[in-house]
Amino acid sequence: MATRSSRWGRRGAAVGARRRADARGAAGAQGRGGSASGSSGSGSAAYANEHADARDTAADQHSSQNGGMPGRREPRASVTIVDGRGHLVTPGLINTHHHLYQWLTRGYAQDSILFDWLTSLYPLWARIDADLVEKGALGAMAVAAKSGCTTVGDHHYVFPSGAGDILGAIVRAAGQLGVRIHATRGSMDLGQSAGGLPPDFAVESIDAILAASDEAIDRYHDASRGAMAQIALAPCSPFSVTADLLRESAALGRARGVRLHTHGSETVEEDAFCLSKFGKTPTQYLEDLDWLGNDVWMAHCVHLDDHAIARFAATGTAVAHCPSSNARLAAGIARVPAMLDAGITVGLGVDGAASNESGQLGTEIRMAVLMNRLGAGADRMPGRAALRMATIGGAATLGRAAELGSLEVGKLADLAVWKIDGVEHSGILDPVAALTLGSQPPLALLLVNGVEVVRDGALTRVDEAQVASAVARASVALAAR
């Protein structure tokens, strides 16, 4: 381990010192009463109907094009005018946690808690390859896009020997669909024979993991503004990776300037594992390995105690909240209102489709409202707070708050336009409540970088029937291996 420490440790420590100096930067901007765009205190320009009625905006644009509204600049000939009457406009939704390959293993272990669910699926996942992953990832992201998602954060941690370029397959699938991808080079190195949960045949060596992680950054990480693909490093969980891998991955990620991601405090079984094996809670264990910081986001965090919440807030560590998956696996209800009160940045996540067969990010907004009201009270999770988590909260979680997550001048044109004048939503006088409390509205338009990805509920860049057929064949093929 000394060679690896000397290779990454010095640069990582320097970056770590800088990140601690501004740990509260993004975290304080999201809180429950904050603004999605930062320009006012009530949702502001992030939601057109909060700032200026979308119908009036569309009518004004049309009027100026036809000689009305003196003083307004006429749009250029290349500008497309969208009639927003009867619609709600939001930023594109941002998914902060997924396992795209699991789209091929939906419906398995339907009545299991996390550890039993994992042990039943590890053998199947250990037989994936790049071709299967590309088909599954395209299917999963297609459904996410149809639910308003423009940026997908994926946590891929299963890399069987000889499986091909799995990360390249995921990036390629996102490019076909036209969405942004935050892929991760995940990893597992703690097999059952060494006291971990995954079978030995599903883990890699630490040296292979670090070399592959470095290569993934070289090949697929774009640090520039407007990037369509970025890479983070993501050892899987305290019960599937060694302390050495966590420590070395953090040093490598910081040396290379990429973000860090893992699962944390998802279940009571995970807490018991960490207390038994390390004598610490998951948060204490991860902090000792330098895994708290404003370049880190953790999935789930269902069982954070008061001390853990305080440490996340103090260090700027973000959280990916996955309410449907937590319910599917009976993991519990995360203390999201308490996290937001403390100033923690929280985004929404679908999680893997094997524990959330829907795969829709848009429906997670309503689920977050309902689950957190059950856990904390009717007034503790307003619909607008959940919508902020799905937009600016997600952008901050992935380190993209300067570019994504709100509708304001200077940000990228990632937009969702929801139809709310149909029979399902007409009569809901608060248009935001139509999205946050009603059924998911039809998606009239989804733009990524100003380019149509969805129009009138249909994908514009791929053939849905072909995607569905490929997924069906891939699922059968994987099951037969």
Side-chain angles (χ1 to χ4, degrees), residues 219-233:
R219 295 185 67 180
Y220 299 116
H221 183 64
D222 179 0
S224 66
R225 175 177 169 80
M228 294 298 291
Q230 292 196 347
I231 296 293
L233 302 188

Side-chain angles (χ1 to χ4, degrees), residues 188-208:
M188 298 190 295
D189 73 329
L190 186 65
Q192 286 177 351
S193 65
L197 191 68
D200 289 350
F201 60 77
V203 303
E204 303 172 272
S205 73
I206 187 170
D207 289 312

